[in-house]
Amino acid sequence: MSDILLQIDGREVGAREGMTILEAAQSVGISIPTLCHHEKLEPYGACRICTVEVEVNGWTKLVVSCVHPVEENIIVRTRSEKVDRISKTIIELLMAHAPDSPQLQDLAQEYGADKDRFEKDASFCIHCGLCVRYCAEVVKKNAIGFVGRGINKEISFIPEIAAKECDDCKECFPLCPTSYLQAAFVLTKALFSPPPSSEPVQDE
Ligand code: SF4
Ligand code: FES
C-alpha cells in the first residue's frame, strides 16, 4: 500500500515511506537517467545526472533523485529548463574525461550536450564507483578500490585479490559506463601474471 502521494511529470504516483524519488519514478515507468545508481547497491549520489526539479509550496529546488526521499504532495519534474541545463553541463564535464562512452554519447544526444565544450582530460574513469561498490557490497571480495584524492583519484585492482577472484567473476565489467574498468583489469593482469618461463627447452 502507498503511504505517500506525489506528482511526477504530471502523474499521481503512490510511494512507500523511505523510497527515493528515482525509485518512485521507476515504479511507474518514468525514466530518469543514472550513471552511478544500481538497484543492488546503496545510493551513492556521485554523478548528479539524475537531478530533478522539485516544487514544494510554490518553491522549486533541484535535488539528486537517487538519494532524495519521496515526500507527500511534492511536484517532481524530470525535465525542465533548469534540469536540462544542469544535465547538459554534467554530461559535457563527464565527456571531457570519457568522450567515447556510449552511455554519455546517448545522453549528449538527448540533452543536446557539446562533447567538446570542456578541455579534454581523458582519464576515462568518471568515478561512478559502480565497480568498487559492486565488488564490495554484492560480490564481497573488495578486489578493487579507489586510490588517490581529488583529481588524482582513480580505481585500482588489488593485485593479490584480483589474481584469485576476478577471472571467474567479472560481474562488474558490464556496469562500467566507460571502457576504463576493462583496461585497468588488463593492465593489472599483466602486472600480476608471472613472466613467461625463460628456461631452455630440453631436447628429448
Ligand atoms: S572504472 Fe568504470 S565503473 Fe569503475 S568507477 Fe570508473 S567509470 Fe565507474
Ligand atoms: S545516479 Fe544519482 S547521482 Fe548518480
Side-chain angles (χ1 to χ4, degrees):
M1 209 179 80
S2 305
D3 309 315
I4 293 176
L5 284 179
L6 64 156
Q7 196 189 96
I8 307 179
D9 290 349
R11 284 173 63 178
E12 291 294 322
V13 177
R16 289 184 316 279
E17 180 88 42
M19 276 175 106
T20 62
I21 291 175
L22 176 67
E23 288 168 335
Q26 288 176 335
S27 74
V28 292
I30 295 174
S31 169
I32 298 176
T34 64
L35 286 168
C36 68
H37 175 78
H38 190 287
E39 63 276 9
K40 290 186 182 170
L41 302 177
E42 288 296 314
Y44 194 52
C47 71
R48 302 296 203 252
I49 197 65
C50 65
T51 297
V52 296
E53 190 175 276
V54 167
E55 184 180 327
V56 186
N57 299 328
W59 294 89
T60 61
K61 60 181 177 179
L62 294 174
V63 304
V64 176
S65 68
C66 69
V67 293
H68 198 90
V70 291
E71 293 167 63
E72 186 73 32
N73 290 331
I74 57 172
I75 298 170
V76 178
R77 295 181 195 94
T78 66
R79 299 293 295 256
S80 70
E81 198 189 324
K82 276 189 201 163
V83 170
D84 284 10
R85 199 165 53 231
I86 193 157
S87 299
K88 178 174 171 292
T89 303
I90 290 167
I91 297 160
E92 288 168 342
L93 284 166
L94 293 175
M95 286 192 105
H97 297 287
D100 299 327
S101 158
Q103 275 188 54
L104 289 179
Q105 285 174 349
D106 288 351
L107 286 169
Q109 195 163 20
E110 176 74 29
Y111 288 85
D114 173 6
K115 71 178 172 52
D116 297 318
R117 178 169 168 201
F118 295 104
E119 195 179 332
K120 293 279 171 298
D121 171 19
S123 52
F124 304 107
C125 174
I126 58 167
H127 298 159
C128 71
L130 283 174
C131 56
V132 174
R133 294 180 294 129
Y134 194 89
C135 191
E137 293 177 32
V138 178
V139 188
K140 301 194 186 303
K141 297 293 183 192
N142 295 297
I144 184 166
F146 277 116
V147 293
R149 285 166 179 249
I151 55 164
N152 296 319
K153 183 166 145 180
E154 55 183 49
I155 58 121
S156 176
F157 284 90
I158 318 298
E160 304 75 34
I161 306 176
K164 283 197 289 229
E165 307 291 350
C166 294
D167 267 331
D168 293 332
C169 174
K170 295 183 182 168
E171 282 183 36
C172 62
F173 280 23
L175 307 182
C176 179
T178 78
S179 56
Y180 187 71
L181 184 59
Q182 301 210 25
F185 180 67
V186 170
L187 184 66
T188 309
K189 216 172 153 173
L191 291 176
F192 66 61
S193 298
S197 169
S198 54
E199 292 286 308
V201 180
Q202 298 278 321
D203 287 338
E204 300 206 344

